[in-house]
Amino acid sequence: MIAVCELIRMSYKKDEQKNLIPIECAREVICDETSTQSKEWHQAKMGGLSPSFTLKTARINYEGEKILRYNGKKYSIYRTYVVGDDIELYCEEEAGNR
């Protein structure tokens, strides 16, 4: 299923008291939602993760982000896998959103 997700990179800015304030830098990319294979799902569960789904996008779209927003929810990218010109992003729901 072709969709759009937002890849989120965090940057930080100092306030007047020199505290670091996190700033989300998000950009939209075209992706394709695929189901997480059972082997991947079981291995992730054994590692203490809660896999949700896998998104595939062109490798050129991915710049090492660790967070994405998809269908209005934030997810962590816990693993990536390169397949030719594409990259698979293995996602789990962020702890605060479970």
Side-chain angles (χ1 to χ4, degrees):
M1 174 176 90
I2 302 296
V4 175
C5 73
E6 288 181 297
L7 294 173
I8 300 170
R9 186 183 81 246
M10 298 302 293
S11 64
Y12 298 88
K13 162 178 133 171
K14 289 185 181 180
D15 65 9
E16 301 82 31
Q17 290 80 35
K18 308 273 188 218
N19 298 313
L20 290 177
I21 308 299
I23 300 169
E24 283 187 3
C25 300
R27 58 193 177 81
E28 290 185 346
V29 298
I30 302 291
C31 58
D32 185 15
E33 182 178 348
T34 61
S35 60
T36 303
Q37 295 179 359
S38 61
K39 182 179 178 183
E40 170 66 27
W41 190 85
H42 288 291
Q43 286 178 340
K45 280 299 219 184
M46 289 180 70
L49 300 171
S50 297
S52 298
F53 55 87
T54 303
L55 294 178
K56 185 186 285 189
T57 190
R59 278 175 47 190
I60 197 165
N61 291 337
Y62 184 67
E63 297 175 355
E65 294 88 349
K66 299 294 181 194
I67 303 168
L68 65 80
R69 187 175 294 114
Y70 184 63
N71 290 335
K73 283 183 149 180
K74 273 188 177 177
Y75 296 90
S76 297
I77 301 169
Y78 69 85
R79 186 169 92 80
T80 61
Y81 184 74
V82 174
V83 181
D85 290 336
D86 292 330
I87 188 164
E88 294 176 346
L89 309 175
Y90 293 84
C91 305
E92 73 170 333
E93 198 168 345
E94 286 200 318
N97 291 332
R98 288 186 198 146

